[in-house]
Amino acid sequence: MKKKNLYVALLCSTLLSFNTFAQNRTYDGPNKMNTWSITGYGGITKFFGDIKEYDFKRGSNEKLTGGWGLSINKQLSPLFGIQITGFNGQLQGSKKGHMSVLSGDSYDVFFNSPSFVQATVDGTLNVNRLLFGFKKLRRWKVDAHLGAGIIYYHTDLTATNTNPSSEYFGITYPISTNTSASSKTAGKWERNGSTYTREWVIPTGLAVHYELTPRFDIGVDFTYNYVNTEKMDATVGDYTDYQSQQGLWTFAAGESKKDGWGMASIALTYKLGKNAVMSKDGKYDASKGRYHLRWANPMDLIPVPYNPTMNDADSIAKANMPKPVDPRLYTDSDGDGVADLFDKEANTPAGSVVSGGGVAMDLDKIIRDAIKNNLPKDECEALFSNIEFDTDKAIIRNASKETLSKVVELLNMRTNCRIVLVGHTDARASDSYNVSLSRRRVDAAKRFLVRAGLTDPSRIIAEYYGEYRPIAENTSVEGLQSNRRVEIKILPNNTIRSTYPAGFRR
């Protein structure tokens, strides 16, 4: 009874475990995977019970028996699965010198179960994945399985008296366990004129599979089936009186162990699903198709995030680095307000008024030509010039006053022009002080323009940057002087202004 209770507890635990996985742990990952398959079995059957002389070879009257089966399999996760399995096969057994305690006679006993049918629900556990992980034995699958179901069987038994001193010597007694009388307590099923007895069965076994192709697996399977009866062979052990058939008709329990049968078979599995693919080198690419959950770990289908090394990161940075900017874009060697990259006339004299291309212009000639030719007031060309200041001063020099006066005259003639004043300093003070000083220099130039007669002061735009935009090195007297400046830019009103950092324009 203890062993029986152990089987029942193990079965209930297994079914509960698989029910939990079916409800909560079935695969539902980001990549589509195939999970269904069909397996066919064919092999040799063997009975284990009272009427059996040898465990793994035939008795004197036995023939080799076999069976076939079919299962529908559902893989719930890489480790767990469930299957519905059906078997049909034949069983035989024999034993010599079987003694009847009641009569003292001996018998040669032979039984035959010509066609039994069994259906079970089994849970499977992928043992090698559980023990060795997913990196080893990639194309091998070792499944332990356990389940429960029912079996229908029909048994015919013959017992021949072999005791020469017996009055029944040589008489053969045919017995069928599955008459209408003997099947009352076990349940029955009528087939081909015979009554089939129904019993509970618990299958357990081990299957080894090998992945051949994306569609087919081949393997071997051994299953032992524990049947909940001791009369599958029509006997209850040494306490049977074959002459009187005592105990057979009522299916009364005897003292022998419960019967069982085993099957060693070759299994061929066809994997269902769309776009079936398999991994041959341990690498997976979900874009190529669907792998089967019997063989693939869903985590292997997710690409490993790329973590570049320092060398990789350096190579990527160099490959994506923009081309170096021409340094001439940031330098103005002659201080005329035009960057060297665009300056077509280098080394123009300090204080020169130049065109947008850096070419020195005669401001007086421009004004005379404008008066002489009576040019339209809405025409304007870009002109650039600088005025310089003494150290820590915001006072307009006399030489610069003449330039600013001509600028006023030109602006009053060309109403579609605007003027941009940009203040700068050298580096010999704090940042905040230099920004303030550059602002005072711009304000001084602006006041001079207004007092000199500029008719529309709103056309003046003031900006100041302190020491942040030098045009020369702050290491020489000449460089310091060049940086103490206010840039004068005369531009058409429709010219798009440059964008400067906030806090440095006014």
Side-chain angles (χ1 to χ4, degrees), residues 39-41 71 73 75 79 83 85 87 122-129 137 139-146 203-211 217-224 263-269 294-295:
T39 302
Y41 305 88
S71 68
N73 318 303
Q75 199 71 27
L79 294 179
Q83 61 188 36
T85 307
F87 281 110
D122 299 71
T124 63
L125 170 64
N126 194 334
V127 178
N128 66 308
R129 293 288 181 265
L137 303 173
R139 298 182 69 179
W140 291 92
K141 187 173 188 286
V142 180
D143 277 344
H145 54 91
L146 175 67
T204 180
L206 194 69
V208 180
H209 299 271
Y210 181 78
E211 188 179 26
D217 303 336
I218 193 169
V220 293
D221 177 273
F222 179 79
T223 301
Y224 178 83
M263 180 172 176
S265 59
I266 295 176
L268 183 64
T269 300
R294 279 171 60 93
W295 297 97

Side-chain angles (χ1 to χ4, degrees), residues 118-425:
Q118 176 175 300
T120 62
V121 178
D122 299 71
T124 63
L125 170 64
N126 194 334
V127 178
N128 66 308
R129 293 288 181 265
L130 182 65
L131 297 179
F132 305 113
F134 293 89
K135 303 300 181 183
K136 297 180 180 180
L137 303 173
R138 290 181 182 274
R139 298 182 69 179
W140 291 92
K141 187 173 188 286
V142 180
D143 277 344
H145 54 91
L146 175 67
I150 56 174
I151 183 173
Y152 285 89
Y153 66 91
H154 172 90
T155 300
D156 296 315
L157 180 142
T158 59
T160 303
N161 194 314
T162 60
N163 185 0
S165 63
S166 173
E167 60 180 308
Y168 303 106
F169 173 72
I171 298 176
T172 298
Y173 299 93
I175 301 171
S176 176
T177 62
N178 302 93
T179 65
S180 58
S182 66
S183 301
K184 287 181 179 179
T185 59
K188 61 182 180 179
W189 171 45
E190 300 287 343
R191 181 186 180 196
N192 298 330
S194 300
T195 302
Y196 279 71
T197 300
R198 181 187 68 236
E199 275 294 353
W200 291 105
V201 62
I202 299 176
T204 180
L206 194 69
V208 180
H209 299 271
Y210 181 78
E211 188 179 26
L212 285 176
T213 70
R215 288 295 184 187
F216 289 98
D217 303 336
I218 193 169
V220 293
D221 177 273
F222 179 79
T223 301
Y224 178 83
N225 300 272
Y226 173 86
V227 185
N228 188 37
T229 181
E230 57 182 319
K231 287 197 173 183
M232 197 173 183
D233 55 356
T235 181
V236 292
D238 293 335
Y239 296 93
T240 299
D241 183 350
Y242 294 103
Q243 183 179 344
S244 64
Q245 300 181 7
Q246 180 68 32
L248 292 176
W249 302 114
T250 62
F251 263 56
E255 297 183 8
S256 61
K257 295 179 180 179
K258 297 292 179 71
D259 295 333
W261 69 276
M263 180 172 176
S265 59
I266 295 176
L268 183 64
T269 300
Y270 180 76
K271 292 170 284 190
L272 304 172
K274 299 179 180 179
N275 305 322
V277 294
M278 62 180 284
S279 173
K280 295 182 179 180
D281 54 2
K283 297 181 180 179
Y284 299 88
D285 184 356
S287 64
K288 292 182 178 180
R290 294 188 182 184
Y291 296 88
H292 205 285
L293 195 56
R294 279 171 60 93
W295 297 97
N297 180 11
M299 296 300 295
D300 291 337
L301 273 63
I302 301 175
V304 178
Y306 173 58
N307 294 318
T309 63
M310 291 301 296
N311 290 335
D312 292 339
D314 187 58
S315 299
I316 294 172
K318 289 180 179 179
N320 292 278
M321 186 177 295
K323 294 181 179 180
V325 178
D326 194 325
R328 296 177 298 165
L329 181 64
Y330 303 106
T331 56
D332 180 13
S333 301
D334 55 6
D336 59 3
V338 178
D340 290 347
L341 182 62
F342 308 108
D343 200 338
K344 297 180 180 178
E345 185 177 324
N347 301 320
T348 53
S352 299
V353 177
V354 299
S355 66
V359 178
M361 307 288 290
D362 186 347
L363 195 57
D364 289 336
K365 183 175 183 302
I366 293 173
I367 295 173
R368 289 194 303 270
D369 289 345
I371 296 173
K372 179 179 179 181
N373 298 324
N374 194 23
L375 294 177
K377 293 184 178 181
D378 58 354
E379 288 188 4
C380 189
E381 58 181 322
L383 298 175
F384 299 86
S385 183
N386 288 340
I387 57 173
E388 297 179 351
F389 293 81
D390 295 330
T391 300
D392 198 25
K393 300 293 184 182
I395 301 173
I396 305 297
R397 291 178 174 178
N398 291 331
S400 299
K401 292 178 180 179
E402 182 179 355
T403 300
L404 290 174
S405 298
K406 294 178 180 178
V407 167
V408 171
E409 185 177 357
L410 179 62
L411 289 175
N412 287 336
M413 296 177 59
R414 303 285 183 88
T415 57
N416 199 36
C417 292
R418 61 186 173 87
I419 182 171
V420 182
L421 303 177
V422 187
H424 303 275
T425 69

Side-chain angles (χ1 to χ4, degrees), residues 32 40 45 74 77 88-90 103 113 126 135 177 187 193 214 229 239 265 272 284 289 305 317 370 379 448 454:
K32 294 291 185 180
T45 58
K74 169 68 174 179
S77 74
N88 177 240
Q90 181 184 12
S103 65
S113 182
N126 194 334
K135 303 300 181 183
T177 62
T229 181
Y239 296 93
S265 59
L272 304 172
Y284 299 88
E379 288 188 4
F448 183 91
L454 182 63

Side-chain angles (χ1 to χ4, degrees), residues 36-70:
W36 290 93
S37 61
I38 298 176
T39 302
Y41 305 88
I44 300 171
T45 58
K46 179 67 178 178
F47 174 74
F48 297 95
D50 294 319
I51 308 303
K52 172 183 64 69
E53 193 161 359
Y54 306 104
D55 280 337
F56 293 102
K57 72 176 185 178
R58 290 176 291 165
S60 58
N61 296 321
E62 296 177 51
K63 296 180 181 179
L64 190 66
T65 58
W68 65 275
L70 188 70

